[in-house]
Amino acid sequence: DLYMPVMSGRVFLEVRQREREAEWTSVPVVVLSAANEKLGLVAEGHLRKPVELDDLLQVVETFCGETALTADEGAQRMTVLK
């Protein structure tokens, strides 16, 4: 979420973007938030709260299906979810 305490999603995405060489940054990130704003930061997907179960399952399948995808591959397959 973009507005979590301690480290917000926005801060997390900023750190992830700066630390691109770190191994953990290859893990896909999907933002789940009620905020209706453009991130301006890199995330592989975005779901708006309240999330529809079918949309969430599509995202999970995209990034964690039988043939796991890299963040880039998943982002390319990702459909725009509203």
Side-chain angles (χ1 to χ4, degrees), residues 13-82:
L13 289 170
E14 289 171 357
V15 170
R16 180 177 180 246
Q17 198 166 355
R18 280 195 313 263
E19 302 289 327
R20 284 187 294 245
E21 299 302 317
E23 185 175 319
W24 63 272
T25 61
S26 65
V27 175
V29 172
V30 176
V31 174
L32 176 63
S33 183
N36 187 18
E37 60 186 74
K38 298 290 181 192
L39 295 176
L41 297 167
V42 178
E44 285 69 46
H46 179 261
L47 291 171
R48 190 172 303 141
K49 291 179 183 176
V51 66
E52 295 290 328
L53 181 58
D54 288 340
D55 294 341
L56 177 60
L57 292 175
Q58 180 182 357
V59 170
V60 171
E61 176 66 26
T62 297
F63 292 104
C64 304
E66 283 185 34
T67 56
L69 303 175
T70 66
D72 289 338
E73 291 168 336
Q76 289 173 358
R77 282 190 41 201
M78 193 68 188
T79 59
V80 177
L81 302 175
K82 298 179 182 177

